[in-house]
């Protein structure tokens, strides 16, 4: 983990591509393209938030960058200097924040198999999501639907 003790910037993955999560969803590359363009941090009307545990009353920071790469939805966020932000940095440094999740609305999806078959064989997934509207990305103090959504970096000096 990168830690230069200056900026209060975290990076990680809010979502992972091409694997079945615990809800039976498989998010495909390109699913975030439209929502990032329309409401991402570099758009005309940025509206996507970085929250703690999907709680709108617990904003963590301002998203600086949000993009799809070969792995999933990569984010970079400037954590706020408020008490929650400082506590969040402490939780990150203590190894308590290890997963992320997303709050979204499905715009386009394909059912991969009948529900009865999914119950018998969940490893093949239930829905393939090809487009969604992202409302927020959350850092989690517990478990997300997709465990393959790690924190990838921290540059912090918010604890002073």
């Amino acid at each position: 983990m990168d830690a230069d003790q200056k900026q209060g910037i975290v990076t990680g993955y809010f979502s992972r591509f091409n694997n079945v999560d615990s809800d039976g969803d498989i998010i495909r590359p390109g699913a975030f393209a439209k929502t990032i363009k329309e409401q991402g941090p570099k758009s005309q009307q940025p509206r996507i938030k970085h929250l703690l545990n999907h709680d709108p009353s617990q904003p963590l920071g301002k998203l600086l960058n949000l993009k799809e790469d070969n792995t999933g939805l990569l984010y970079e966020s400037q954590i706020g200097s408020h008490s929650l932000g400082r506590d969040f940095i402490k939780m990150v440094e203590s190894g308590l924040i290890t997963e992320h999740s997303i709050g979204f609305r499905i715009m386009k999806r394909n059912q991969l198999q009948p529900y009865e078959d999914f119950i018998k064989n969940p490893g093949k997934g239930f829905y393939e999501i090809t487009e969604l509207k992202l409302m927020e990305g959350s850092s989690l103090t517990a478990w997300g639907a997709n465990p393959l959504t790690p924190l990838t970096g921290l540059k912090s000096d918010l604890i002073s």
Side-chain angles (χ1 to χ4, degrees), residues 31-79:
F32 297 99
K34 184 176 179 185
T35 196
I36 291 171
K37 182 180 178 183
E38 292 176 352
Q39 296 187 321
K42 296 179 181 176
S43 71
Q44 295 269 340
Q45 189 176 27
R47 299 207 60 204
I48 300 167
K49 304 296 182 185
H50 183 190
L51 306 176
L52 182 65
N53 296 324
H54 299 292
D55 186 343
S57 71
Q58 294 190 314
L60 287 175
K62 180 181 179 183
L63 287 170
L64 302 174
N65 197 12
L66 195 58
K67 68 178 186 176
E68 292 188 1
D69 68 9
N70 291 332
T71 300
L73 182 62
L74 181 65
Y75 79 89
E76 178 182 42
S77 185
Q78 173 74 57
I79 300 303

Side-chain angles (χ1 to χ4, degrees), residues 40 43 81 97 101 123 139 143 147:
S43 71
S81 60
I97 304 292
S101 183
S139 296
W143 310 273

Side-chain angles (χ1 to χ4, degrees), residues 90-155:
K90 290 177 186 176
M91 287 189 285
V92 168
E93 291 176 337
S94 299
L96 299 174
I97 304 292
T98 59
E99 294 183 19
H100 294 87
S101 183
I102 55 175
F104 63 96
R105 290 192 177 109
I106 295 173
M107 306 308 283
K108 294 180 183 175
R109 70 180 181 188
N110 302 307
Q111 187 171 337
L112 297 172
Q113 59 181 331
Y115 184 73
E116 298 76 26
D117 294 343
F118 169 68
I119 296 300
K120 296 174 194 169
N121 190 0
K124 288 187 177 181
F126 187 49
Y127 285 114
E128 170 187 60
I129 299 173
T130 57
E131 184 183 331
L132 52 80
K133 180 177 181 178
L134 186 65
M135 309 307 285
E136 52 89 9
S138 280
S139 296
L140 303 174
T141 57
W143 310 273
N146 193 330
L148 302 176
T149 55
L151 197 71
T152 59
L154 168 65
K155 296 179 183 180

